[in-house]
Amino acid sequence: AVASPEDFAVMGAAILGDYKLARWVLLAVAVQRSVELRSGPAAPWQAPARTSRALQRELSEVASLKAASRELVARRHEANEVNVCALLYRVAGSSAPLSEEVATLVGAAREVVPQMKSRQLANTARATSMCGPSAPGARELARVVLERVAAEAGTWTRAEEISMASWAAVRWLEADGEVRSAARRALAALASRAAEAVEAAAHYKEVVTVAWAAAKAQATLREEVDDEERESTRRLLVALRSAPAAPSARDVATLAWACAKIRDADWRLSAEALETFETAISLASRRDFFERASPRDASQLASALATAAYDAPRLFERIHAFVADKPLDLGDASAVVWASAVVDRPPDEAVLERLLARPGAGSFFERSLLVWGAAVLGHASPGHARLAARALAALRLDRRAKPDDLRRIHQSLLALRLELDPQAFDALYLALDQDLLAKARTSWNGHRERASSARHTAVAQTLQALKAQHKVVVTVRDEYGDLYVDMLVRLPNRSKLIALEFDGPSHFCSNDPRRPLGDTLLKRRLLGARGFQVISVSYLDWDAIPYWSTMERQRYLQRKLQITETLRYRGGDLSYYSELPPETRKISRLD
């Protein structure tokens, strides 16, 4: 702990038995120290490594961070960038308010940025992100450091430094101005370098961390992502398919989550992200995965499956069995229940009861996810519905609740109205926090503006073209009570109104485009309970018809709506009614 490199050199020579060499080493050390004494003290922050190490040992023994900061500044002729970065990192990790010390060290770090190497750059970037934009001078220091990272990341060789700098850069994406631009450039450069690192040295854990940072960036930037950033993420996704033989469960779960987030945030990367996601899922499907996994890994894997809208029934069964008797916190339990509801894979009633009974503090967001997931799964059995009702009745309004959280509560109430008998629902309604109920209803009714997609508009226009012959009356984006209907269709001689729902790719599982997601099934049940005849137009069927073929589009909707009268077109063409084939078989244009 106290020996210098010169001491080790002398001891090494002595051990080898070459005492003549030891004398020459001692002479060289004496000459070096004599030259240092004659040249006087080093310039501020430019002390040689030996002097810097001696100072670092002394600073590490100082208990007070305030005293250590003052000592460093007072002895800046004995220090260099290593001392500054080490103490800044130590101060940034402290829970005590140390704004004066942060300002002092940030100023010193700003002076030594030009002489920092990759290790110090990564440490300083992380320290500034831990301090946050409100710390004095942290924003400007982060900008300068991240600009150097962006310029030099291509030469970095240590995967640990790449992952550390990526973690720090993604935190600065939440800021604005030049530091945000520098963080974006740094992330793109680090992702490209990480793709090369995993190919060369298989530092899988660190590169997965970079993938996590890239996913966070995609989710934050969304449409702002440029081609360079997208290409660096694509290269990283491709490189991560070369997984080691036995990656850790944490790495597999994090990789699956990152791929799911990237796929959700940028449709241009959907194919690459889904392919790498399936690599992670194949690793998670191995027998030994849950032997090495923690409850957090299982919940993160479940969240990844839901975010990617990926149906993996056997994997969900294993997740449910694994978490049933594990000490999950509220966040992990809510993630598992929410994910199960998204892909409509209900756990057993006993497992759901254990998940809903998880104690511990948590946010209103987590509790709303837990309640929503249980309510959507209430169709599985009367026991599931009773458990969801109990969880909803226990919920109380939180002043920090966001509109999305409150809308989930209202939708949960709508779902339980379907599954509970009238007496049980009335009891639930009376047990609810009435302030919460009012806020949830207000948030639900205030969330009404939705833009129609091009496909949706095309279906509505085709329906309107049927009005002349068959008196089809269609209302686009109609509101019926507290539910939206994509297209409300009225046909002569039909007592029931038709709720025609156009279901795009986001309504189905990504790996099974014929299997609707949980919230889509819930909406169909809600509309059916209101007395509608619910008809779904899948994007798969609609896209199979050429956009220029008006006749074929009308014929398809004629059969969907079961209009048995013959369609007549200009020029004498006729379309006779015939039933569509079952959805288990792919529908072609000839059908």
Side-chain angles (χ1 to χ4, degrees), residues 1 3 69 73 77 102 115 138 141 175 203 240 285 356 363 389 398 415 561:
S69 300
V73 174
H77 293 280
V102 169
Q115 61 201 68
L141 176 60
H203 298 288
L240 281 164
S285 300
L356 293 177
S363 65
D398 190 318
L561 297 173

Side-chain angles (χ1 to χ4, degrees), residues 34-43:
S34 176
V35 170
E36 289 176 2
L37 289 173
R38 290 190 177 186
S39 60

